[in-house]
Amino acid sequence: MPPFSLRQHRPLAFFIAARGAATLAYQMAGVAVGWQIYGLTHRALDLGLVGLVQFIPSLLLTLYVGHLADRHDRRRIVSFALLAEAAALAGLAATTLLHGGSRETILLFVLAIGIGRAFEYSTMLALVPSLAESEILPQAIAASSGVKQAATIIGPVLGGFLYLAGPAAVYGISFLLFLFAAVTILCIRIRRIPPSREPISLQTVFAGIGFIRSRPVLLGAISLDLFAVLLGGATALLPIYARDILLTGPEGLGLLRGAPAVGALVASLYLARNPLRQKVGRVMFAAVALFGAMTVVFALSRSILLSFAALAILGWADMISIVIRASLIQLETPDEMRGRVSAVNAIFVSSSNELGEFESGLTAAWFGAVPAALIGGIGTLVVVLIWIRLFPDLLRRERLQGG
């Protein structure tokens, strides 16, 4: 097989550029929102609320979005969603400049961003297989994830330093990046069999759930990620760690937020050239266990260097798990079902990320930041042990394609 190259796959290159720009914007805005809202209230619970208000639209809308993605042009859905997120960032910039911002105003615009992401995320996942042949799909996913992680590294650092000029500066540049991503997605040209326009019903909307339930390997992989990251979502506590424990400023917060992406980028670059070919089930469980162990190390760290290293290794392990899960989902799902299956996966991902942020913020409000992160890391390790017993077929899975 010839080496994988984006120059030979122009639609995929356009997609990756758009995804990178959108991720950069989202990560920059995340630093600004976290630092601004914690600076206003100094309450850990409010950091958790940022995750919760993003999770609610995902929970309510994503299954319907999956149905739309299987019936309509996925490029247009993604583009309109990115424009909605851009508008929310423009609103955040304007209100911050005019009124300085308030907790309620910030959460309202974060909710709007969450609505846009509910339409964007699962549709974007379903779009990838239309841009790459099945033989190179794992490498395409790894390459796309690599650019996403590079943006996740640069975004928080850039957002942290730009915050020195004020949160409005961060929101304004994020708006421009979302705008660029929306236009770039529309420039993609793909060939796709026209989707069937079956009438919408509860059966068609929930078909993705039935499909996943009928395949224990997919159910195990998706649910493992859900509960592991839900419990191990220590990144929501980074503003507290940066300000109160590691005694650093917004630029330090940016470095810490970018640390997981450093490890993830290393993993994705390797997997883009060297796709996993055997023992993928065991590798996935080992990666999630390492994720939990590094969360424990981060929880106990009082050094910014050790914290950065723990978060980087955590990100490396998470990327291994992400590529395996995403490849299994896309390779085992027919195209006419990809929107709905990706929607179910998106709900699980949103649950683990945004709801995990709320769980971390709530636990930190009850017990303190350090115990909350420690409980999450230990909980992740317990989940791995339980899932090994519940999903032995996933543990024994040898290859990404064909069992």
Side-chain angles (χ1 to χ4, degrees):
M1 181 184 297
F4 174 77
S5 173
L6 284 177
R7 287 178 293 182
Q8 300 171 1
H9 303 86
R10 188 174 179 183
L12 183 62
F14 272 76
F15 170 84
I16 290 176
R19 191 182 189 194
T23 303
L24 188 65
Y26 184 75
Q27 293 296 328
M28 288 170 57
V31 170
V33 166
W35 196 263
Q36 186 180 17
I37 203 166
Y38 190 64
L40 288 170
T41 69
H42 295 280
R43 296 201 314 166
L45 182 60
D46 289 330
L47 293 175
L49 288 176
V50 172
L52 181 63
V53 298
Q54 292 182 81
F55 169 70
I56 290 172
S58 176
L59 180 65
L60 297 178
L61 296 173
T62 303
L63 288 180
Y64 175 68
V65 172
H67 183 83
L68 289 180
D70 285 335
R71 299 174 75 244
H72 299 283
D73 189 337
R74 292 168 183 167
R75 298 170 307 156
R76 292 188 178 183
I77 295 173
V78 172
S79 184
F80 287 143
L82 291 168
L83 288 174
E85 292 172 73
L89 265 299
L92 267 174
T95 55
T96 299
L97 284 173
L98 294 174
H99 307 293
S102 67
R103 186 191 74 158
E104 291 73 20
T105 301
I106 294 170
L107 291 176
L108 181 63
F109 282 112
V110 169
L111 176 64
I113 293 172
I115 293 172
R117 281 180 64 80
F119 281 84
E120 171 207 337
Y121 187 79
S122 60
T123 311
M124 205 171 244
L125 292 177
L127 186 59
V128 177
S130 303
L131 309 175
E133 300 82 4
S134 61
E135 294 80 9
I136 64 165
L137 185 59
Q139 293 163 281
I141 291 173
S144 173
S145 298
V147 172
K148 179 177 180 290
Q149 295 306 324
T152 306
I153 296 169
I154 298 169
V157 176
L158 185 58
F161 281 102
L162 284 174
Y163 196 92
L164 298 175
V170 183
Y171 299 142
I173 294 176
S174 298
F175 159 77
L176 294 175
L177 287 167
F178 271 124
L179 201 62
F180 167 81
V183 173
T184 303
I185 285 290
L186 288 179
C187 292
I188 295 174
R189 295 290 179 265
I190 59 175
R191 294 181 181 179
R192 186 188 175 205
I193 299 173
S196 61
R197 296 297 179 90
E198 55 185 322
I200 188 170
S201 66
L202 287 177
Q203 182 179 359
T204 58
V205 169
F206 286 92
I209 295 176
F211 183 87
I212 290 172
R213 287 184 61 189
S214 68
R215 287 158 174 78
V217 169
L218 295 187
L219 179 61
I222 293 175
S223 59
L224 174 64
D225 181 81
L226 165 66
F227 287 102
V229 181
L230 175 63
L231 292 170
T235 52
L237 305 177
L238 288 180
I240 300 175
Y241 266 84
R243 185 189 289 265
D244 299 335
I245 297 174
L246 300 174
L247 306 178
T248 185
E251 66 280 3
L253 173 61
L255 289 170
L256 290 173
R257 280 187 65 105
V262 172
L265 177 61
V266 172
S268 59
L269 290 175
Y270 176 80
L271 291 175
R273 294 288 181 179
N274 304 277
L276 294 168
R277 302 190 186 279
Q278 58 185 357
K279 293 184 170 55
V280 295
R282 293 181 183 276
V283 170
M284 183 175 187
F285 277 109
V288 176
L290 182 59
F291 178 94
M294 288 301 103
T295 301
V296 172
V297 173
F298 169 77
L300 300 175
S301 171
R302 295 297 180 273
S303 161
I304 193 169
L305 292 178
L306 179 59
S307 297
F308 184 92
L311 290 171
I313 297 172
L314 177 152
W316 181 88
D318 191 37
M319 177 52 58
I320 299 293
S321 173
I322 287 171
V323 170
I324 292 174
R325 185 187 72 248
S327 298
L328 286 173
I329 291 170
Q330 301 299 349
L331 289 169
E332 298 211 352
T333 305
D335 187 67
E336 64 272 12
M337 284 289 298
R338 282 196 175 112
R340 283 165 286 184
V341 171
S342 294
V344 176
N345 182 44
I347 290 178
F348 278 69
V349 171
S350 294
S351 298
S352 61
N353 291 331
E354 281 83 17
L355 196 57
E357 290 181 10
F358 177 67
E359 178 272 333
S360 295
L362 187 62
T363 309
W366 288 343
F367 306 114
V370 174
L374 188 60
I375 290 169
I378 294 172
T380 298
L381 295 172
V382 172
V383 165
V384 170
L385 295 176
I386 295 173
W387 256 241
I388 286 174
R389 295 185 63 87
L390 290 178
F391 298 96
D393 289 343
L394 176 58
L395 179 66
R396 292 192 294 265
R397 180 78 179 218
E398 278 292 317
R399 297 184 299 276
L400 290 172
Q401 191 169 21

